């Protein structure tokens, strides 16, 4: 064995759920996927846990996605019901939700590879780890990130339009 | 040397080049204006993308400011060897403190409504389910027709002899439509001096739990998170107490007719807040973390001063991210976002720059600068030059 599930969970669960939440837009689903991922880690203990866990989680997501492509959208609409939300001033909440939707839609327009690389990097993965988790070569990561970042911002900025001009 | 490709520039931004490669690229950047400019753009891009992705979060993102707040009990882990925790976990407590701050400061125990109107003390605590030893004072503004009333329930002050169960006190808060010409009311949350009672930390489980299941771990973690929020609030209460029970948190309540639609969700928000409060005490029966007076890591560097002619309003945008809104008399609005910087603490040489980075998109300029550990971003529909001047004043 040699797998300390507690330690593994302690170290990576939060990061994994965050990444999956960003990816799916649904916290509950992210939690489920994370659980399933850790369950698999028990069955087949990884030697290099972090890239392994994230790669497995992303694979699970892909498998699931094949069957339920429309699920994302539907879940986004209902998801805030279940968990406890911190207090946010109404206008702030509005603005934030707006931004969130725009970012989600921009992210959805990236290729899967670009999106995964972006999200892994955002979790503090270095290029080696990203390469391990995605199967890309290390040399390709910088280029992929450059393209993904540029594209995300382009799409996001288009979506945003001139809407954020100050009043007055 | 030929120009540097985008991939390499981004690798440099991410500090993923080896030493020799980095040295050669940096040497090139020093002489090539084009590439230096593209490097600056890549840096800005990486930053913007990180902040956009953060907008998707419900799970707090990694922060790099060391919290002075207490650590949460390590629930469910085997007897620990001293271990380096990853970023995502190490700084989570600060996030929680900030989150608690955002909840508590804005929806605190006692509200004083109205800047230009006389405040009338209203002893109506009939909604209080228990008789608190020191009931929070509630001041309500008077004179407004049909006040929108919301009930905010909060764990009330706990008598020193109380063991675990925080007493719950309902506080009435009236969101009062203001009939004044400007239509703005300032709501000041004042927190009376609460006494924080902490249960002694429970003994660890009798025997090291043999291999908890994933589901158990998930539950334990959820419980720990609730505790963290609670403990953070307790710390915050103490911090508030230490500063004389005054909280200088102000937020603007919009009461313009055109803003009513936005003001309307306040009752939803209050309900959500109430839910949050209802969940928290359930963790109180488990082992409770002793709370140390916390210095809120994000709070101290947040005040880079006022701008003459602008009214400033602070909001906790996300945990540990503060947005200050400067509004001038003519309606010009500037947004200053202060966020923990994820890069320059670890690598001050590579990333920290005293310089301003300026960009303009759609007539809206953005000036960014950093100090170790924090990044500032000032946005406004002004010319880049004017904005830089303002930024200079702030810095």
């Amino acid at each position: 064995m040699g797998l300390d599930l507690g330690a593994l969970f302690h170290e990576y669960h939060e990061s994994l759920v965050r990444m999956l939440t960003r990816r799916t837009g649904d916290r509950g689903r992210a939690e489920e996927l994370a659980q399933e991922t850790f369950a698999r880690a028990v069955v087949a203990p990884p030697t290099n846990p972090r890239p392994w866990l994230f790669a497995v989680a992303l694979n699970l997501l892909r498998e699931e996605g094949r069957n339920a492509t429309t699920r994302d959208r539907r879940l986004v609409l209902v998801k805030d019901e279940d968990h406890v939300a911190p207090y946010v001033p109404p206008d702030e909440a509005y603005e934030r939700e707006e931004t969130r939707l725009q970012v989600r839609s921009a992210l959805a327009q990236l290729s899967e590879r670009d999106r995964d690389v972006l999200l892994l990097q955002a979790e503090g993965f270095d290029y080696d780890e990203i390469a391990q988790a995605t199967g890309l070569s290390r040399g390709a990561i910088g280029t992929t990130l450059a393209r993904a970042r540029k594209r995300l911002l382009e799409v996001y900025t288009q979506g945003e339009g001139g809407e954020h001009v100050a009043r007055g | 040397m030929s120009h540097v490709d985008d991939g390499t520039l981004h690798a440099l931004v991410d500090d993923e080049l080896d030493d020799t490669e980095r040295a050669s690229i940096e040497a090139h950047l020093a002489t090539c204006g084009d590439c230096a400019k593209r490097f600056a753009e890549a840096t800005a891009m990486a930053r913007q993308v990180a902040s956009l992705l953060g907008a998707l979060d419900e799970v707090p993102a990694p922060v790099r400011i060391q919290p002075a707040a207490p650590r949460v009990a390590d629930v469910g882990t085997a007897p620990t060897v001293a271990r380096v925790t990853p970023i995502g976990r190490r700084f989570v407590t600060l996030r929680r403190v900030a989150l608690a701050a955002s909840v508590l400061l804005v929806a605190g125990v006692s509200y004083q409504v109205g800047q230009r109107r006389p405040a009338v003390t209203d002893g109506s605590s009939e909604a209080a389910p228990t008789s608190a030893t020191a009931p929070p004072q509630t001041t309500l503004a008077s004179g407004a027709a049909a006040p929108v009333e919301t009930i905010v329930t909060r764990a009330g002050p706990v008598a020193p002899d109380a063991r675990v169960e925080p007493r719950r006190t309902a506080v009435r808060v009236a969101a009062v439509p203001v009939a004044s010409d400007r239509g703005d009311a300032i709501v000041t949350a004042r927190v009376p001096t609460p006494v924080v009672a902490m249960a002694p930390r429970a003994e660890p489980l009798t025997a090291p739990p043999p291999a908890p299941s994933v589901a158990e771990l998930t539950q334990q973690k959820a419980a720990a998170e609730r505790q963290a929020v609670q403990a953070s609030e307790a710390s915050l209460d103490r911090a508030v107490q230490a500063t004389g029970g005054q909280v200088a948190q102000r937020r603007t309540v919009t009461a313009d007719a055109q803003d009513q639609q936005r003001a309307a969700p306040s009752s939803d928000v209050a309900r959500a807040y109430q839910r949050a409060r209802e969940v928290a005490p359930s963790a109180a029966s488990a082992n409770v973390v002793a709370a140390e007076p916390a210095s809120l890591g994000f709070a101290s560097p947040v005040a880079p001063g006022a701008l003459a002619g602008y009214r400033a309003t602070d909001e906790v945008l996300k945990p540990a991210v503060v947005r200050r809104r400067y509004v001038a008399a003519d309606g010009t609005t500037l947004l200053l976002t202060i966020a923990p910087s994820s890069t320059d603490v670890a690598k001050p040489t590579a990333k920290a720059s005293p310089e301003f980075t300026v960009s303009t998109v759609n007539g809206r300029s953005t000036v960014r600068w950093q100090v170790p550990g924090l990044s500032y971003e000032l946005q406004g529909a002004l010319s880049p030059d004017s904005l830089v001047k303002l930024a200079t004043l702030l810095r």
Side-chain angles (χ1 to χ4, degrees):
Chain A
M1 274 276 305
L3 177 78
D4 184 347
L5 181 62
L8 207 62
F9 193 89
H10 180 76
E11 286 208 28
Y12 302 120
H13 181 263
E14 183 166 318
S15 173
L16 189 61
V17 170
R18 178 171 50 238
M19 189 277 288
L20 288 167
T21 305
R22 287 174 171 184
R23 179 73 169 72
T24 62
D26 178 36
R27 168 77 183 263
R29 199 169 148 215
E31 297 267 10
E32 281 169 25
L33 285 165
Q35 275 210 37
E36 176 62 23
T37 304
F38 280 103
R40 296 201 178 193
V42 177
V43 178
T47 48
N48 193 357
R50 190 152 88 143
W52 188 93
L53 288 170
F54 281 71
V56 167
L58 288 170
N59 282 335
L60 287 173
L61 189 61
R62 263 187 288 276
E63 279 171 32
E64 198 192 55
R66 284 192 197 106
N67 305 325
T69 36
T70 56
R71 218 176 129 191
D72 266 0
R73 191 157 312 205
R74 211 169 58 233
L75 284 174
V76 168
L77 297 175
V78 296
K79 78 181 154 33
D80 272 337
E81 296 297 317
D82 291 335
H83 69 274
V84 171
Y87 176 87
V88 179
D91 55 342
E92 192 60 68
Y94 175 82
E95 216 171 286
R96 206 156 111 175
E97 189 52 33
E98 191 109 309
T99 306
R100 192 204 307 233
L101 289 175
Q102 275 167 8
V103 177
R104 282 211 60 67
S105 102
L107 203 56
Q109 293 182 50
L110 299 188
S111 74
E112 191 162 55
R113 183 171 70 170
D114 288 2
R115 191 164 47 210
D116 288 353
V117 170
L118 215 51
L119 290 174
L120 291 172
Q121 200 274 334
E123 286 306 314
F125 276 52
D126 63 30
Y127 284 15
D128 286 320
E129 287 175 313
I130 297 175
Q132 285 174 49
T134 58
L136 295 170
S137 75
R138 189 189 193 281
I141 306 297
T143 315
T144 308
L145 269 173
R147 180 182 56 230
R149 283 169 174 160
K150 198 170 169 194
R151 177 99 180 106
L152 182 76
L153 289 173
E154 274 171 9
V155 179
Y156 174 77
T157 312
Q158 281 164 19
E160 195 183 35
E163 176 245 338
H164 271 297
V165 177
R167 282 163 276 170
Chain B
M1 179 174 177
S2 59
H3 289 315
V4 186
D5 68 85
D6 280 348
T8 310
L9 283 177
H10 280 257
L12 179 60
V13 171
D14 296 331
D15 197 19
E16 294 282 349
L17 298 177
D18 63 42
D19 288 348
T20 47
E21 215 175 351
R22 188 175 61 210
S24 101
I25 302 293
E26 280 176 350
H28 175 72
L29 293 183
T31 59
C32 174
D34 282 353
C35 286
K37 184 160 165 266
R38 285 170 54 228
F39 173 68
E41 283 166 5
T43 309
M45 259 188 228
R47 168 181 304 282
Q48 282 171 305
V49 165
S51 106
L52 285 183
L53 292 178
L56 298 173
D57 281 347
E58 297 169 45
V59 183
V63 189
R64 290 253 192 183
I65 298 179
Q66 186 68 48
R71 288 294 310 272
V72 188
D74 288 345
V75 178
T77 46
T80 48
V81 187
R83 187 181 59 207
V84 179
T85 49
I87 297 153
R89 288 211 57 89
R90 199 186 316 157
F91 300 104
V92 74
T93 315
L94 171 67
R95 287 254 165 196
R96 296 266 150 66
V97 170
L99 185 143
S102 63
V103 169
L104 189 66
L105 290 183
V106 179
V109 174
S110 144
Y111 276 70
Q112 194 174 38
V113 182
Q115 195 181 32
R116 306 180 199 84
R117 54 182 62 252
V120 174
T121 303
D122 178 329
S124 70
S125 49
E126 73 266 23
T130 64
S131 59
T133 38
Q137 291 175 352
T138 308
T139 48
L140 293 178
S142 67
V148 182
E149 195 172 67
T150 55
I151 306 276
V152 177
T153 307
R154 182 187 183 281
V158 180
D161 60 339
R163 275 301 148 90
V164 174
E165 277 291 317
R167 242 173 251 166
R168 303 171 56 82
T169 310
V171 178
R172 288 186 154 229
V173 178
V176 185
V178 173
S180 76
D181 45 350
R182 290 292 309 225
D184 279 349
I186 304 295
V187 175
T188 307
R190 250 192 338 160
V191 181
T193 57
V195 182
V196 181
M198 286 319 225
R201 185 165 170 161
E203 282 300 305
L205 300 174
T206 44
S213 74
V214 173
E216 280 165 0
L217 286 168
T218 311
Q219 282 168 10
Q220 286 167 349
K221 188 154 177 291
E225 284 177 2
R226 286 196 294 271
Q227 282 179 30
V229 171
Q230 200 179 26
S232 302
E233 288 189 11
S235 315
L236 185 71
D237 282 353
R238 282 204 185 169
V240 166
Q241 193 176 4
T243 56
Q246 289 283 337
V247 174
Q249 171 79 7
R250 298 186 150 210
R251 80 176 201 85
T252 306
V253 171
T254 52
D256 279 343
Q258 66 178 46
D259 281 341
Q260 284 202 344
Q261 150 212 7
R262 289 203 287 173
S266 62
S267 61
D268 292 345
V269 170
R271 260 198 306 272
Y273 176 69
Q274 187 170 3
R275 269 209 306 272
R277 293 304 321 168
E278 279 162 7
V279 170
S282 69
S285 52
N287 49 347
V288 176
V289 182
E292 299 299 327
S295 72
L296 301 179
F298 72 92
S300 49
V302 154
L307 283 178
Y310 287 83
R311 194 182 59 166
T313 319
D314 283 348
E315 292 168 10
V316 180
L317 181 60
K318 277 192 307 186
V321 177
V322 173
R323 173 180 283 179
R324 171 168 292 187
R325 195 182 289 265
Y326 291 99
V327 183
D330 65 1
T332 309
T333 303
L334 302 174
L335 289 179
L336 176 67
T337 309
I338 304 148
S341 161
S342 59
T343 51
D344 62 345
V345 171
K347 305 158 194 154
T349 49
K351 309 275 164 45
S353 159
E355 300 299 313
F356 293 120
T357 315
V358 187
S359 61
T360 304
V361 178
N362 296 329
R364 187 174 176 79
S365 305
T366 304
V367 177
R368 297 187 180 81
W369 71 97
Q370 300 194 351
V371 300
L374 287 172
S375 65
Y376 292 79
E377 186 179 296
L378 185 66
Q379 287 194 320
L382 295 172
S383 74
D385 284 352
S386 319
L387 208 58
V388 166
K389 269 182 210 151
L390 291 171
T392 315
L393 291 174
L394 288 173
R395 195 172 66 168

